[in-house]
Amino acid sequence: MANKKQVKEKSMEETLWSSANKLRGSVEAAEYKHVVLGLIFLKFASDKFEKRRLELIAEGKEKYVDMVEFYTMKNVFYLPETSRWSYLVENAKQEDIALKIDTALFTVEKNNPALKGALPDNYYSRLNFDVNKLASLIDTINNIDTLKDEEQDIVGRIYEYFLSRFALAEGKGKGEFYTPKSIVNLIAEMLEPYKGKIYDPACGSGGMFVQSVKFIESHQGNKKDISIYGQEYTNTTYKLAKMNLAIRGISANLGETAADTFFNDQHKDLKADFIMANPPFNQKQWRGENELTDDPRWAGYEVPPKGNANYAWILNIVSKLSQNGVAGFLLANGALSGGGDEYKIRRKLIENDLVEAILVLPMNMFYTTDISVTLWILNKNKKARTVEQGGRLKKYRNRENEILFMNLRNIGVPFEKKYIQFTEEDIKKVADTYHIWQKVDFEEKYQDIKEFCYSATLEEVTKKDYSLVPSKYIEFKDRDEDIDFDYEMKLLQNEFVELLKAQESSNNDLLALFKELGYEIRV
């Protein structure tokens, strides 16, 4: 039965995507996603509102059905009549439906302070959509029963599906709002964010926060034990994050507005227990010649070079860690061995015993770049200690002055023809290896594994001149340590299939052109 249910839900997601795609036309995906997700949000909010409204009537409290407080007390958004989904469905084929949708979103945000700055602002009227296509999309979304199976988080799954599809559609150089779900899952499973403050300095659409909450719920924890802080530079992405969290009933402090983390840090005094982040890779000219040179976040380290923000992100993260804080974040591989001030900062990070693990990920995991990237784990307290997690005490071994290196280039499965993602088994294997290495309450003992993992001492890292490139430490079997032949052949195979399809399409176009000109070519 479970498999049939999954197929049905996936079909619903794909059907919705297909219907939404009819609106595309001349509208850029970057704006179009807000249009679709805004409607999905309204449907979800309306379903929750109507459920709560019926509860009040059933309890004999009909006179309170229009009092905002009786909805917010149950974490439900209050919707005036013209903002309710039923009203939009009734008026879906009216010429002014776009204006009605804009008004509905504006009114919902106005009546619910928690949504301040979250919803699309005047998109529908401005983008001049075809009324029939907009009505068709409303009709499709109307078929979603958002409350049918709250355990399955149907709306959250649809939202996640759309975010990934939009990221794919925007492609290279865009789509920075989305970190692939399997990577986010891996970070959450490694950091185990059970209790405390969670921070993401470049939060995009909020995926790190969503997965943190899912991790807690799947391990029988309590999401009330965490508080969430984030910041996002792009205004439209800031709205995505607030809407994404609101759909799931997750409270978060994302700052008063979208803002640059370096020039307008909205969480200056924050000390976080968990930091999870995917900041922009190799960000150029992030500061001017004499800007931010005396920023307190670099205290004790060199000023990060102005030509690349990688180490500025690292030091921002270090400055935000609590006494026992742990961070997991992604960077381009170049940060593992850069020279100049980057080398000096990296050396101090290692000597200060902050670097706990370095994991190289497969290529083609991201929609925005095909380069291989690294997951860094920093730990503010690597000394032996006992911590309460998930209702039980866990003992951490004394791993001072050691770094775990992992090579993940050999794992993962293809999807969408040219991308790679981790399976649940992959994530479990990596997270278990890290936790076995890190903790003493496991019967199984950590062992180095060729081509997969190696625990290096500070002395070994010093001899390698403070390089954090995993292939300098992990043992490889009788082959070039920098080439994974099986993996490369899989990539070539996928690329070759795409080239053959493109060639066939070009040939057909050429034959059709000759035919139009009156010259038929037989092959």
Side-chain angles (χ1 to χ4, degrees):
M1 289 297 291
N3 289 337
K4 288 182 180 179
K5 187 174 186 181
Q6 287 173 1
V7 170
K8 186 177 180 182
E9 287 178 357
K10 183 169 175 52
S11 174
M12 174 187 65
E13 292 160 1
E14 289 179 341
T15 299
L16 184 55
W17 173 259
S18 176
S19 177
N21 247 348
K22 294 174 184 176
L23 281 179
R24 282 293 295 276
S26 59
V27 181
E28 288 288 330
E31 294 212 60
Y32 160 70
K33 62 175 172 282
H34 297 282
V35 173
V36 178
L37 294 173
L39 285 173
I40 292 173
F41 174 81
L42 276 177
K43 175 63 166 70
F44 169 74
S46 289
D47 286 352
K48 295 276 281 188
F49 170 82
E50 292 296 345
K51 180 183 177 183
R52 176 59 181 154
R53 185 170 176 272
L54 291 173
E55 284 176 358
L56 289 171
I57 293 172
E59 292 169 4
K61 299 176 181 176
E62 194 165 352
K63 63 181 179 180
Y64 301 124
V65 294
D66 287 317
M67 292 185 66
V68 177
E69 296 79 6
F70 279 82
Y71 294 88
T72 55
M73 67 186 290
K74 294 288 186 178
N75 202 25
V76 173
F77 297 117
Y78 174 78
L79 276 64
E81 187 173 352
T82 55
S83 296
R84 297 170 195 170
W85 186 254
S86 56
Y87 177 80
L88 296 179
V89 170
E90 288 169 9
N91 291 275
K93 295 185 179 179
Q94 300 296 319
E95 288 296 321
D96 65 344
I97 183 59
L99 177 60
K100 282 182 166 62
I101 296 170
D102 281 330
T103 303
L105 289 165
F106 173 80
T107 308
V108 172
E109 188 171 314
K110 182 181 177 182
N111 278 275
N112 299 277
L115 291 174
K116 182 183 177 183
L119 303 181
D121 182 16
N122 217 27
Y123 274 102
Y124 299 85
S125 305
R126 179 164 54 83
L127 294 178
N128 221 7
F129 283 122
D130 178 274
V131 172
N132 291 327
K133 289 182 178 179
L134 196 51
S136 176
L137 178 58
I138 290 172
D139 186 54
T140 303
I141 293 174
N142 191 47
N143 292 325
I144 305 171
D145 183 354
T146 65
L147 305 181
K148 179 181 66 175
D149 189 348
E150 295 187 38
E151 289 297 315
Q152 287 292 318
D153 186 23
I154 291 173
V155 175
R157 287 180 58 177
I158 292 171
Y159 198 93
E160 179 76 31
Y161 180 81
F162 268 63
L163 284 176
S164 65
R165 296 297 305 186
F166 284 127
L168 279 165
E170 293 188 28
K172 273 189 186 178
K174 298 179 182 178
E176 286 92 347
F177 60 85
Y178 183 78
T179 304
K181 187 177 177 181
S182 71
I183 298 178
V184 181
N185 290 354
L186 174 63
I187 296 173
E189 289 293 333
M190 292 184 73
L191 265 58
E192 299 182 310
Y194 282 106
K195 188 175 184 178
K197 296 177 181 177
I198 300 174
Y199 170 61
D200 184 346
C203 69
S205 52
M208 298 290 184
F209 304 137
V210 170
Q211 202 53 45
S212 295
V213 172
K214 285 190 175 182
F215 172 86
I216 291 167
E217 292 174 339
S218 66
H219 292 77
Q220 290 73 53
N222 188 341
K223 67 180 183 181
K224 292 181 180 179
D225 288 339
I226 63 166
S227 50
I228 290 171
Y229 300 83
Q231 186 155 341
E232 171 54 39
Y233 174 70
T234 306
N235 187 52
T236 53
T237 307
Y238 174 81
K239 289 178 180 289
L240 275 184
K242 296 202 78 170
M243 205 190 312
N244 194 9
L245 298 176
I247 273 179
R248 293 170 166 88
I250 300 173
S251 298
N253 179 350
L254 303 186
E256 288 298 312
T257 184
D260 186 300
T261 299
F262 296 124
F263 285 92
N264 183 11
D265 182 3
Q266 299 191 60
H267 305 292
K268 287 184 178 179
D269 299 322
L270 177 67
K271 293 298 178 183
D273 302 291
F274 303 97
I275 298 178
M276 306 165 69
N278 174 27
F281 301 149
N282 301 322
Q283 192 177 353
K284 308 297 181 187
Q285 303 304 320
W286 62 279
R287 68 173 180 86
E289 189 68 42
N290 298 309
E291 294 178 297
L292 298 176
T293 54
D294 58 352
D295 194 287
R297 286 172 287 187
W298 329 141
Y301 296 88
E302 277 67 29
V303 177
K306 66 175 184 177
N308 192 315
N310 286 343
Y311 274 77
W313 286 112
I314 293 175
L315 292 184
N316 177 76
I317 287 169
V318 169
S319 73
K320 301 292 186 187
L321 282 173
S322 67
Q323 186 177 356
N324 294 315
V326 185
F329 55 91
L330 301 159
L331 288 177
N333 285 357
L336 299 172
S337 58
D341 287 334
E342 289 190 351
Y343 168 84
K344 295 175 183 176
I345 295 171
R346 185 172 63 256
R347 177 172 177 167
K348 286 184 180 178
L349 289 170
I350 294 168
E351 290 177 340
N352 290 340
D353 205 17
L354 289 172
V355 182
E356 182 163 61
I358 298 289
L359 299 81
V360 171
L361 307 188
M363 293 175 62
N364 292 317
M365 293 201 79
F366 288 83
Y367 309 143
T368 54
T369 179
D370 57 4
I371 65 171
S372 175
V373 303
T374 309
L375 169 57
W376 292 53
I377 306 292
L378 301 185
N379 194 332
K380 200 72 177 290
N381 182 9
K382 289 163 68 176
K383 297 177 181 178
R385 65 196 191 281
T386 301
V387 177
E388 181 185 348
Q389 291 186 337
R392 72 187 187 99
L393 296 177
K394 292 191 176 182
K395 296 179 180 178
Y396 288 72
R397 72 169 76 243
N398 188 330
R399 280 289 184 180
E400 290 181 272
N401 297 315
E402 283 187 70
I403 299 174
L404 177 64
F405 291 95
M406 299 187 74
N407 168 41
L408 309 189
R409 290 178 297 178
N410 299 330
I411 66 175
V413 296
F415 81 105
E416 294 287 345
K417 297 179 182 177
K418 60 179 179 178
Y419 297 106
I420 298 293
Q421 66 183 359
F422 294 134
T423 64
E424 289 184 11
E425 291 75 19
D426 293 331
I427 292 170
K428 186 177 188 308
K429 176 184 177 182
V430 174
D432 283 353
T433 300
Y434 169 67
H435 294 314
I436 289 168
W437 173 84
Q438 187 188 45
K439 299 171 184 172
V440 293
D441 62 343
F442 282 77
E443 292 181 8
E444 188 177 353
K445 301 302 180 185
Y446 169 81
Q447 289 184 325
D448 294 330
I449 301 173
K450 289 182 179 181
E451 302 195 17
F452 180 56
C453 61
Y454 183 83
S455 181
T457 64
L458 175 59
E459 183 180 2
E460 289 176 282
V461 177
T462 302
K463 286 180 180 177
K464 301 287 186 183
D465 200 22
Y466 301 96
S467 170
L468 291 176
V469 177
S471 60
K472 288 183 178 292
Y473 304 92
I474 298 172
E475 185 178 350
F476 285 77
K477 301 174 187 172
D478 301 327
R479 69 182 189 187
D480 187 331
E481 65 181 34
D482 293 319
I483 299 177
D484 176 358
F485 290 102
D486 292 337
Y487 177 70
E488 295 298 330
M489 286 303 294
K490 284 180 184 176
L491 292 181
L492 284 173
Q493 182 184 27
N494 290 335
E495 289 176 11
F496 188 58
V497 169
E498 292 300 311
L499 284 172
L500 288 177
K501 288 181 180 178
Q503 181 181 349
E504 182 181 1
S505 177
S506 297
N507 288 343
N508 291 337
D509 290 344
L510 189 59
L511 290 172
L513 178 60
F514 270 93
K515 189 174 182 179
E516 285 181 18
L517 295 173
Y519 300 93
E520 188 163 351
I521 298 176
R522 298 184 182 279
V523 180

